[in-house]
Amino acid sequence: MASKKKSDSPRKLNLGCGRDVRAGWINLDAMALPGVDVVADLSLCATTPLPFEDGSMDEFLLSHLIEHIAQPLPLMQELWRIAKPGARMQIRVPHGAHDDAWTDPTHVKPYFARSFGYFSQPWYWRADYGYRGDWQPELVTYSVPRRRFAGQMPAQILEQIDALRNVVQEMIVDLVAVKPLRQPKKELMQAANIKISLVE
């Protein structure tokens, strides 16, 4: 069996990497920090395309990045442009009802589980804001402290997430690029699955 060529390896983009430089990934940041491969300002995606070809990326990581972007739709549309059909994306973000979403003065937007539906097309069945990307949220993982919730049923934990502050330590959202673009139709809307993860 022939060995896999380097050019055939999955192309993975670590966006807003900061100091979290990852081997095997294209590390992108707004600053030319050590280990950064590509310097680009992700807040300018509406006017400045990223330096990648259409349909060229297999995987994306946005770890504690998107809450810093005032206008996320141009960014998500640009990432959809460079994504291969079925490309995977993981977004890690503070939950909107946690103090971490607000204490950092560079955070400009809170996120909740349903927020990510707006990165798909079907959710625009009521209004057209010009967004032309289609990322289907598949799984939302709520990371909650084990010491507080051990022994509780998921339904009990979900009730507290909806009613209280500072329950979810981190929200992890897995999405997939849908190509071609779906129609903005209510009947095509799909809710993501929800998972509870107990963390130390």
Side-chain angles (χ1 to χ4, degrees), residues 15 43 56 59-60 66 81 86 91 103 106 109 118 139 164 185 189 191:
L15 293 128
S43 67
S56 60
E59 191 172 348
F60 300 82
I66 203 163
R81 176 187 69 82
I91 298 177
T103 50
T106 65
K109 200 169 196 62
Y118 289 94
L139 179 66
L164 304 175
K185 294 182 177 180
M189 292 172 64

Side-chain angles (χ1 to χ4, degrees), residues 60-200:
F60 300 82
L61 175 63
L62 290 73
S63 182
H64 294 270
L65 162 74
I66 203 163
E67 67 270 25
H68 298 268
I69 305 294
Q71 299 294 329
L73 292 181
L75 168 62
M76 295 301 287
Q77 180 172 310
E78 178 63 2
L79 298 182
W80 184 82
R81 176 187 69 82
I82 66 174
K84 292 180 180 177
R88 311 296 301 184
M89 175 184 286
Q90 186 172 93
I91 298 177
R92 294 173 168 257
V93 66
H95 188 269
H98 196 285
D99 288 350
D100 286 349
W102 300 102
T103 50
D104 186 334
T106 65
H107 289 181
V108 296
K109 200 169 196 62
Y111 285 87
F112 299 87
R114 286 175 57 85
S115 301
F116 300 91
Y118 289 94
F119 298 145
S120 70
Q121 273 302 300
W123 283 54
Y124 291 96
W125 62 273
R126 286 185 291 193
D128 185 351
Y129 299 123
Y131 171 67
R132 297 297 181 267
D134 202 351
W135 290 97
Q136 175 60 47
E138 293 195 328
L139 179 66
V140 175
T141 303
Y142 291 134
S143 297
V144 302
R146 183 184 304 277
R147 67 185 180 278
R148 183 173 170 187
F149 294 103
Q152 293 192 32
M153 298 298 291
Q156 294 173 297
I157 299 172
L158 287 171
E159 284 182 9
Q160 294 175 75
I161 290 170
D162 289 340
L164 304 175
R165 290 184 54 76
N166 295 321
V167 175
V168 179
Q169 294 180 201
E170 182 182 44
M171 190 164 51
I172 304 165
V173 184
D174 294 304
L175 308 95
V176 63
V178 179
K179 292 190 172 186
L181 206 68
R182 289 174 292 177
Q183 292 296 310
K185 294 182 177 180
K186 187 177 182 180
E187 59 269 26
L188 297 178
M189 292 172 64
Q190 300 175 38
N193 292 317
I194 301 292
K195 177 183 174 183
I196 303 294
S197 176
L198 300 177
V199 297
E200 300 304 329

Side-chain angles (χ1 to χ4, degrees), residues 3-25:
S3 62
K4 196 172 187 180
K5 296 179 183 177
K6 188 175 181 180
S7 60
D8 293 336
S9 298
R11 296 191 74 199
K12 304 188 292 185
L13 189 56
N14 180 16
L15 293 128
C17 63
R19 295 184 176 89
D20 182 24
V21 171
R22 298 185 175 215
W25 291 70

